[in-house]
Amino acid sequence: MIEIRDLRFAYGSGFALSVPVLDVAARERVAVVGPSGAGKTTLLNLVSGIAVPDAGRVTLDGRAISALPDRARRAARAASVGFVFQEFALVDYLSAEENVLYPYRVGTGLALDKEARARARALLAEFGLGEKTRRRPAQLSQGERQRVAIARALVTRPKVILADEATGNLDPANKAAALDLLFAQAAETGAALLCVTHDHELLPRFDRVIDFADLGGTA
Ligand code: ADP
Ligand code: ADP
C-alpha cells in the first residue's frame, strides 16, 4: 500500500534524509521509532505528499503520489491518506464534528454529503464523544481532542493512515485507548498504518517496528 524507493530529501538548513526502501502492506501496522530530529516527521510529510522528495518515489495504493503536480497530489492525499498530527492541529473555532469533517473542506473534491456527516457522527459516538459533537477543542480534554484528531484521520476511510506521535501527550490509559480506536478502524477498512511513536510500551502491539536509523537514516 505504501512503497518508498530511493527517497531523498534535504531542507535548506542542511538536514538530509535518505530512505532506499520502505514498504507497508495493506492491513499492516508499522511503528517508526528514532531520536528526536532524526527526520520521522519529515518522512511522514513525504509519504503523505505534504512534502515532495528531491529524488525517488512514494507510491500509495498504486499511485506515484510524489510525481503528481501540486493540485493532483493534494487530491490524491485527501483521497488516500488520513493523518493524525503531532499537536492534533484541530481548528479552534470549529466544533468537534466540523473538525472531523475538515478533510472534505480543503479543496479535495470529496463530497461533504449526508453519508459523510453520518460517518463523522458515528465515529465520534464510537469514540465516546457522541454528546460532545458540538463542542470546540477548547471545551474538550486532551484525550478527547486526541480522539477528534483520530476521527478526522479516519472519516474518509483512507487506505493509508499516518500518525505522528498520535499518543504522545496522553496518559497511559488514553494512549492505549487511542491505539485501540486507530487499530480497530484500520482493521475495518484494511488500511496500512504507519505510526511514529516514542511510546515504547505500545510497540509490542505493532506488526513491525522500524528503527529510523536502520531505514538508511540521515545523510
Ligand atoms: P523528527 O520528527 O524525527 O523529530 P523532523 O523530521 O521533525 O525530525 O526534523 C528532522 C530535521 O530537519 C531536524 O534537524 C529539524 O530541525 C529539521 N527540520 C524540520 N523541519 C524543517 C524545515 N521546515 N526547514 C528546515 N529544517 C527543518
Ligand atoms: P482531563 O482530566 O482529561 O484533563 P479535563 O479536566 O480537561 O479532562 O476535562 C474533563 C471533562 O470536562 C471533559 O469531559 C471535558 O469534555 C469537559 N470540559 C473540559 N473543558 C471544558 C469546557 N471549557 N467547557 C465544557 N466542558 C469542558
Side-chain angles (χ1 to χ4, degrees):
M1 192 57 65
I2 304 173
E3 269 183 39
I4 293 177
R5 292 292 177 277
D6 302 319
L7 196 67
R8 287 183 169 277
F9 177 82
Y11 290 114
S13 59
F15 173 85
L17 176 149
S18 157
V19 177
V21 179
L22 173 61
D23 289 332
V24 183
R27 302 194 170 278
E28 199 178 16
R29 298 162 302 191
V30 174
V32 177
V33 298
S36 180
K40 304 181 298 299
T41 297
T42 303
L43 175 67
L44 291 189
N45 287 343
L46 289 163
V47 173
S48 70
I50 290 172
V52 181
D54 298 326
R57 195 178 45 179
V58 177
T59 306
L60 300 181
D61 197 14
R63 249 179 126 187
I65 187 166
S66 53
L68 297 172
D70 282 1
R71 258 184 106 149
R73 201 176 64 252
R74 218 174 303 135
R77 161 154 48 99
S80 306
V81 181
F83 207 123
V84 188
F85 292 94
Q86 189 157 21
E87 310 290 344
F88 310 162
L90 299 176
V91 182
D92 294 342
Y93 56 86
L94 293 179
S95 69
E97 183 176 331
E98 292 300 331
N99 264 289
V100 173
L101 291 168
Y102 198 74
Y104 293 94
R105 297 203 183 275
V106 286
T108 55
L110 298 172
L112 177 46
D113 54 13
K114 267 189 185 158
E115 197 192 329
R117 291 187 178 280
R119 164 118 171 117
R121 280 196 294 269
L123 280 169
L124 287 170
E126 193 178 330
F127 289 13
L129 294 170
E131 307 297 314
K132 300 182 179 178
T133 59
R134 302 168 81 102
R135 289 206 192 170
R136 288 198 292 273
Q139 300 168 314
L140 296 168
S141 74
Q142 186 81 342
E144 291 169 338
R145 278 179 221 147
Q146 171 66 321
R147 281 176 268 155
V148 173
I150 293 173
R152 180 180 55 188
L154 298 169
V155 72
T156 59
R157 297 181 190 277
K159 293 277 179 64
V160 171
I161 301 171
L162 306 174
D164 196 356
E165 300 287 355
T167 50
N169 297 317
L170 303 175
D171 58 68
N174 272 317
K175 278 184 205 291
L179 207 61
D180 287 341
L181 295 171
L182 210 47
F183 279 14
Q185 286 292 323
E188 200 179 302
T189 59
L193 196 55
L194 185 63
C195 299
V196 164
T197 183
H198 279 124
D199 289 322
H200 284 263
E201 69 275 18
L202 298 177
L203 295 182
R205 299 187 52 191
F206 286 85
D207 300 315
R208 191 148 58 97
V209 178
I210 297 173
D211 190 328
F212 199 87
D214 297 336
L215 273 178
T218 53

